[in-house]
């Protein structure tokens, strides 16, 4: 970063940004063209499948004004990594577009990139460049390319009736509890599953369990039944919150009954997998603790 | 699009968006997973080099409030394609992130995607998905993957002293004339050059000739001299405008002297290439019509 962190963004200019990015995201592999050129270049050794995703987070929508920029940067990349994990992939290369006020201090930008770097380093993601533009509200858009593990990918459209439904962690109250700003995207869990099992479908929970499982059954042309007593809830939150709050960034996935048994029988689990219900031919239901059957809608938190 | 184009964005919801995108950007190749899953997937047949770029455009910065959304969409993709062209690449796969007010009519979104589609179809770019979020001001971020032609890419850091400098078209007054909303990215020109010549460096003019040629010499560790009388200007614009206005989206490139002669001697040119000056060991100068030598700065339009 510039010698004086107090410098304003407008005082640093584009060259300063490039310099800052280069220092923060050095590219060890000399075969790669990264920050500072019109586009990033990388070589493909073999015919590996690639994954490509993007997510935009905006001040006042995905995080409150005044949120620690480090956490904003962290979240922006974490959402994208979560998408790659949800496909069974390994995150690899990212570009960061930043919309930011000219009057922000450069240390604010530095903190934001630090949050991105923290997670990028953890998952060996290379930040290859991006774009920076003027904006009143803070906007971070990240585009991320991932690789499939030995060609295996997991879609949301391939769940089968009889499959059991799992989630990877507690749900609900993510926004208020701050979980949405420091969650760890479930890459390891996803890789464990893809390498040792055959998940029939998978998605990450960004819009709430009800909505995202809704995507799976909608795209698969199936139905689902889930059980209130089986749904893991984040401390003190209600069923409604666990179903609809969104931004949990846990994975929901399905396994055939025999594979599910095998997963549940693994003794020393490195990860937590909660079986919460079953894929059925049609309909979408919740069985309450009292035994009442409630119809669910394939919508949860709505962006609009 | 939905049956009733007058529907508000907030009334259509995420499923509606996916459906709209799917209809507008159908994916013919069955090996591709596109819109509607967590991430887009595509197979790589061989070890082709890939290019990966992103650009964000924001209402009030890159286009005025009230600009035809079709032109906004067109411009958002055109900027990205221009970046791929500037590397000598061929644009291939894109993701679109859209920040938009919940109170916009869906026909507005449709027009915006139509602008993207217009250009995507022209250059055989596949739109594989994206993200859509709530925003007061309209924001469009596009991430684009391109392929290198037979492994050839052209960087900005490899210009050599003695190389001649070329531009692909008229410069200046792009914003006011509306050129920035309907320019054709120079993919064909770039491909012609890469296939028939060996450009030693290339960049697209987004920040103005002075600034972008400034990037080439800065990154190459060289200098440059350009001639006022040789710089092609958009109708009625001043030298200052041609040098500094930005958003021209023409290419600036350099060729060795012998290659430059060869280019200038090609009889039936499909494209226009204007020789405007020369790469030198150091310094950055403009020779005015009167013969005066003026020092240039490696900065033009500043984002901040």
């Amino acid at each position: 970063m510039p010698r004086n962190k107090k410098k304003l963004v407008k005082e640093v200019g584009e060259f300063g940004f490039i310099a800052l990015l280069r220092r923060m995201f050095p590219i060890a592999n000399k075969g790669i063209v990264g920050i500072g050129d019109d586009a990033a270049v990388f070589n493909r050794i073999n015919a590996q499948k690639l994954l490509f995703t993007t997510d935009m987070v905006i001040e006042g929508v995905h995080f409150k004004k005044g949120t620690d920029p480090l956490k904003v940067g962290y979240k922006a990349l974490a959402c994208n990594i979560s998408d790659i994990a949800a496909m069974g992939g390994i995150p690899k290369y990212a570009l960061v577009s930043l919309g930011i006020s000219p009057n922000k201090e450069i240390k604010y930008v530095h903190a934001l990139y630090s949050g991105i770097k923290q997670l990028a380093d953890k998952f060996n993601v290379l930040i290859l460049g991006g774009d920076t533009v003027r904006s009143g509200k803070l906007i971070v858009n990240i585009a991320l390319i991932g690789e499939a593990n030995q060609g295996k990918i997991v879609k949301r459209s391939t769940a089968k009736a009889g499959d059991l439904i799992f989630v990877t962690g507690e749900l609900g109250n993510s926004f208020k509890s701050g979980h949405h700003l420091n969650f760890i995207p479930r890459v390891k869990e996803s890789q464990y599953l893809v390498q040792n099992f055959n998940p029939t479908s998978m998605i990450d929970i960004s819009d709430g369990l009800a909505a995202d499982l809704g995507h799976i059954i909608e795209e698969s042309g199936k139905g689902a039944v889930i059980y209130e007593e089986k749904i893991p809830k984040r401390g003190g939150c209600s069923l409604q919150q666990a179903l609809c709050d969104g931004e949990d960034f846990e994975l929901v996935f399905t396994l055939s009954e025999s594979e599910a048994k095998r997963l549940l029988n693994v003794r020393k689990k490195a990860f937590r997998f909660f079986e919460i219900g079953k894929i059925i031919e049609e309909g979408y239901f919740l069985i309450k603790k009292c035994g009442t059957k409630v119809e669910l809608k394939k919508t949860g938190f709505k962006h609009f």
Side-chain angles (χ1 to χ4, degrees), chain A:
Chain A
M1 80 244 121
R3 305 284 168 258
N4 182 356
K5 279 200 188 183
K6 287 239 168 202
K7 251 189 171 179
L8 302 180
V9 168
K10 64 183 172 192
E11 294 173 295
V12 174
E14 200 182 338
F15 282 106
F17 261 109
I18 292 173
L20 169 63
L21 280 163
R22 277 196 175 138
R23 267 191 300 265
M24 293 195 61
F25 306 111
I27 292 165
N29 184 336
K30 292 296 176 195
I32 289 173
V33 178
I35 294 150
D37 229 310
D38 296 286
V41 185
F42 47 91
N43 298 304
R44 306 295 311 143
I45 310 294
N46 51 34
Q48 185 62 282
K49 272 180 191 165
L50 296 181
L51 300 156
F52 184 21
T53 187
T54 192
D55 262 298
M56 185 183 276
V57 295
I58 302 185
E59 178 185 304
V61 180
H62 305 88
F63 55 91
K64 290 179 199 161
K65 190 174 175 170
T67 299
D68 180 353
L70 191 140
K71 293 191 174 177
V72 173
Y74 181 99
K75 177 177 181 173
L77 182 56
C79 296
N80 278 284
I81 294 181
S82 183
D83 279 333
I84 297 292
M87 302 293 290
I90 302 160
K92 285 294 195 179
Y93 310 100
L95 299 177
V96 181
S97 300
L98 189 59
I100 191 167
S101 162
N103 294 315
K104 284 279 184 196
E105 285 185 7
I106 196 69
K107 73 175 177 186
Y108 185 92
V109 181
H110 187 268
L112 195 141
Y113 284 136
S114 296
I116 295 174
K117 182 177 170 60
Q118 201 178 90
L119 204 60
D121 287 351
K122 185 177 174 72
F123 287 105
N124 295 314
V125 170
L126 288 175
I127 309 294
L128 296 179
D131 191 21
T132 312
V133 300
R134 215 174 346 125
S135 169
K137 287 186 179 176
L138 181 66
I139 309 162
V140 188
N141 190 93
I142 294 185
L144 178 62
I145 291 176
E147 282 179 355
N149 191 322
Q150 298 172 332
K152 289 181 198 170
I153 59 154
V154 188
K155 301 198 279 184
R156 55 175 77 166
S157 59
T158 40
K160 286 174 185 59
D163 289 350
L164 294 192
I165 303 164
F166 292 82
V167 293
T168 52
E170 278 112 16
L171 308 178
N173 206 26
S174 176
F175 209 80
K176 282 187 190 158
S177 68
H179 175 75
H180 76 115
L181 292 172
N182 54 34
F183 67 93
I184 296 171
R186 300 306 193 190
V187 177
K188 287 184 182 168
E189 289 78 354
S190 163
Q191 282 304 300
Y192 172 76
L193 289 167
V194 169
Q195 286 168 28
N196 298 286
F197 296 85
N198 290 298
T200 52
S201 71
M202 191 150 62
I203 193 169
D204 70 328
I205 305 182
S206 52
D207 296 340
L209 174 63
D212 289 310
L213 179 55
H215 281 296
I216 286 184
I217 60 175
E218 173 78 17
E219 300 288 324
S220 300
K222 299 293 171 195
V225 56
I226 56 177
Y227 299 86
E228 176 180 8
E229 62 184 357
K230 293 182 170 185
I231 296 169
K233 301 180 196 74
R234 186 164 289 105
C237 91
S238 69
L239 174 65
Q240 170 70 24
Q241 288 177 302
L243 287 175
C244 298
D245 273 1
E247 305 248 327
D248 300 301
F249 296 105
E250 297 295 343
L251 301 175
V252 192
F253 61 94
T254 55
L255 287 179
S256 72
E257 211 169 338
S258 61
E259 290 255 304
K261 271 185 195 159
R262 194 157 65 81
L263 179 68
L264 292 168
N265 284 333
V266 173
R267 284 277 167 87
K268 289 179 188 170
K269 286 192 194 74
F271 312 111
R272 297 188 307 162
F273 298 112
F274 302 86
E275 186 263 294
I276 61 163
K278 196 178 229 177
I279 298 294
I280 56 178
E281 282 300 344
E282 58 186 329
Y284 193 19
F285 307 104
L286 171 78
I287 309 296
K288 298 196 74 172
K289 280 177 186 167
C290 58
T292 318
K293 190 175 178 178
V294 182
E295 195 160 343
L296 289 172
K297 287 186 176 170
K298 293 175 195 166
T299 49
F301 170 79
K302 288 200 169 190
H303 290 288
F304 294 103

